[in-house]
């Protein structure tokens, strides 16, 4: 029996539901999901295995024009995904029409198949879906188009079948029991960041970085310590809140989600530290894991 395996990158503008699609396709909650743009900062891999195939998905940051060093690093993940993928899923929202011309031209020149994925079709009429299909097919000239709702998990089976059909013949790249290339500390830090995105407003979520400083497992409990870095003293005060109430609320929400994720009782200790202008500090960005 032939075996197929390949790297499949999920690309698109911010807020098109890439992370929801990634989680739906893998059956795991690997990418954090919020209604805010720029939720995904890293390239996160999720591995799906069948009897005769292995798909290595990559959820990449939403495509944007960088405003500071961290966003430049984020766009490097997009570039690396374009370079080492066997198949590209270009995800658009059904009512979306905006795009970056340079990126579209680059995609059209890629020596690999591109699947157009029109998401959020549950929010549109049949005429709107067809209009979206015509617009994006004319622009991208994809190898195929799939209309889905990642949130409602409709249209995913035909999409999976199309993905597998376009994979090259290869042996598995990863052991069959692996789900991702990222360590547990990474997912813990992402869960904490997700709760910050949900709990705090304005610039706060975009100015924070999480570092898990201690992760100790035992049979009864996992003890985790994490540092929340912000760029200004005023942001530290907002994270802490009046008499520490805000960070206490954050800790409870994060702990509950981490317990669900790892399937064990968790003790979580959060601290806050000011690291001025860390988003433009290359050395600090590399310490935080922003490298390709």
């Amino acid at each position: 029996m032939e075996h197929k395996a390949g790297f499949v990158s999920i690309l698109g503008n911010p807020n098109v539901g890439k992370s929801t699609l990634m989680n739906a396709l893998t059956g795991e909650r690997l990418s954090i999901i919020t209604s805010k743009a720029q939720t995904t900062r890293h390239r996160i891999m999720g591995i799906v295995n069948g009897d005769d195939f292995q798909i290595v998905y990559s959820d990449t940051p939403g495509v944007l024009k960088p405003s500071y060093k961290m966003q430049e690093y984020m766009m490097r993940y997009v570039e690396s995904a374009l370079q080492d993928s066997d198949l590209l899923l270009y995800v658009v929202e059904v009512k979306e029409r905006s795009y970056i011309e340079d990126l579209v031209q680059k995609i059209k020149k890629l020596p690999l198949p591109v699947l157009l994925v029109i998401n959020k079709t549950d929010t549109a009429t049949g005429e709107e879906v067809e209009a979206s299909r015509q617009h994006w097919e004319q622009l991208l000239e994809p190898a195929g188009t799939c209309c889905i709702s990642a949130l409602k998990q409709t249209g995913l089976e035909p999409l999976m079948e199309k993905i597998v059909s376009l994979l090259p013949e290869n042996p598995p790249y990863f052991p069959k029991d692996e789900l991702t290339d990222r360590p547990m500390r990474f997912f813990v830090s992402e869960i904490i960041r997700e709760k910050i995105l949900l709990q705090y407003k304005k610039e706060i979520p975009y100015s924070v970085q999480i570092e898990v400083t201690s992760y100790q497992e035992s049979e009864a409990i996992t003890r985790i310590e994490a540092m929340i870095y912000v760029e200004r003293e005023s942001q530290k005060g907002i994270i802490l809140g009046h008499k520490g109430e805000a960070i206490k609320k954050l800790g409870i929400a994060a702990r509950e989600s981490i317990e669900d994720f790892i399937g064990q009782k968790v003790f979580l200790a959060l601290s806050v530290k000011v690291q001025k202008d860390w988003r433009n500090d290359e050395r600090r960005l590399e310490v935080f894991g922003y490298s390709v």
Side-chain angles (χ1 to χ4, degrees):
M1 181 190 295
E2 70 174 25
H3 189 280
K4 292 186 167 189
F7 290 84
V8 178
S9 290
I10 305 173
L11 200 67
N13 290 344
N15 268 3
V16 296
K18 294 184 299 82
S19 296
T20 305
L21 176 58
M22 166 81 157
N23 292 342
L25 289 170
T26 60
E28 299 288 338
R29 204 167 185 280
L30 300 177
S31 293
I32 65 174
I33 300 169
T34 76
S35 60
K36 294 183 172 67
Q38 301 176 42
T39 298
T40 303
R41 288 180 176 176
H42 296 267
R43 184 180 178 186
I44 303 167
M45 291 188 182
I47 304 163
V48 174
N49 291 290
D51 292 337
D52 57 354
F53 69 85
Q54 182 178 84
I55 307 171
V56 185
Y57 290 107
S58 288
D59 183 16
T60 59
V63 177
L64 47 77
K65 292 186 177 180
S67 299
Y68 37 85
K69 285 290 182 184
M70 185 187 76
Q71 290 184 339
E72 290 178 14
Y73 277 70
M74 288 163 60
M75 291 307 96
R76 289 184 199 175
Y77 292 126
V78 173
E79 289 292 333
S80 69
L82 292 176
Q83 291 168 12
D84 62 21
S85 296
D86 298 296
L87 171 64
L88 180 68
L89 304 186
Y90 191 84
V91 185
V92 299
E93 186 178 345
V94 67
K95 298 176 184 178
E96 173 193 10
R97 297 292 184 269
S98 64
Y99 60 91
I100 297 174
E101 179 65 31
D102 291 349
L103 177 67
V104 167
Q105 294 306 318
K106 187 176 294 186
I107 289 172
K108 290 171 73 171
K109 293 176 183 176
L110 290 174
L112 68 148
V114 177
L115 270 182
L116 171 64
V117 180
I118 301 175
N119 191 23
K120 304 186 183 181
T121 55
D122 58 305
T123 65
T125 64
E127 290 80 7
E128 288 171 328
V129 172
E130 184 57 31
S132 180
R133 178 197 290 271
Q134 291 181 15
H135 170 81
W136 288 104
E137 285 185 345
Q138 184 176 9
L139 189 68
L140 289 170
E141 301 171 7
T145 301
C146 292
C147 299
I148 68 157
S149 169
L151 184 62
K152 303 291 186 180
Q153 300 203 1
T154 58
L156 295 183
E157 191 171 333
L159 174 59
M160 276 286 292
E161 290 173 358
K162 191 68 175 176
I163 291 169
V164 173
S165 74
L166 292 170
L167 292 178
E169 289 186 29
N170 282 312
Y173 289 103
F174 296 91
K176 288 281 190 173
D177 59 347
E178 283 195 21
L179 296 175
T180 182
D181 65 328
R182 292 281 186 171
M184 188 61 73
R185 283 177 179 237
F186 172 81
F187 292 107
V188 167
S189 68
E190 286 288 270
I191 289 170
I192 297 168
R193 190 166 67 85
E194 176 188 54
K195 301 310 175 188
I196 291 173
L197 280 159
L198 293 171
Q199 182 173 324
Y200 298 90
K201 298 179 180 179
K202 297 183 179 178
E203 87 284 357
I204 294 296
Y206 304 104
S207 302
V208 302
Q209 175 64 39
I210 315 301
E211 183 180 21
V212 176
T213 54
S214 178
Y215 190 97
Q216 298 178 330
E217 295 176 280
S218 67
E219 287 188 15
I221 193 169
T222 297
R223 297 182 178 276
I224 301 169
E225 295 178 12
M227 182 67 71
I228 302 169
Y229 289 95
V230 294
E231 292 189 309
R232 299 192 297 273
E233 284 291 340
S234 60
Q235 295 169 343
K236 180 178 178 179
I238 293 170
I239 292 287
L240 291 171
H242 180 63
K243 296 184 178 179
E245 286 299 317
I247 196 170
K248 181 180 178 182
K249 179 183 175 183
L250 170 65
I252 292 170
R255 176 181 55 76
E256 289 174 350
S257 288
I258 295 167
E259 287 177 339
D260 288 342
F261 188 78
I262 69 175
Q264 188 183 36
K265 188 173 176 61
V266 166
F267 170 82
L268 177 64
L270 299 176
S271 304
V272 189
K273 186 175 182 179
V274 177
Q275 186 73 52
K276 291 185 179 179
D277 202 27
W278 67 264
R279 289 182 293 180
N280 277 310
D281 185 334
E282 289 194 359
R283 186 187 64 80
R284 177 54 60 177
L285 286 167
E286 289 183 10
V287 169
F288 288 153
Y290 291 90
S291 60
V292 179

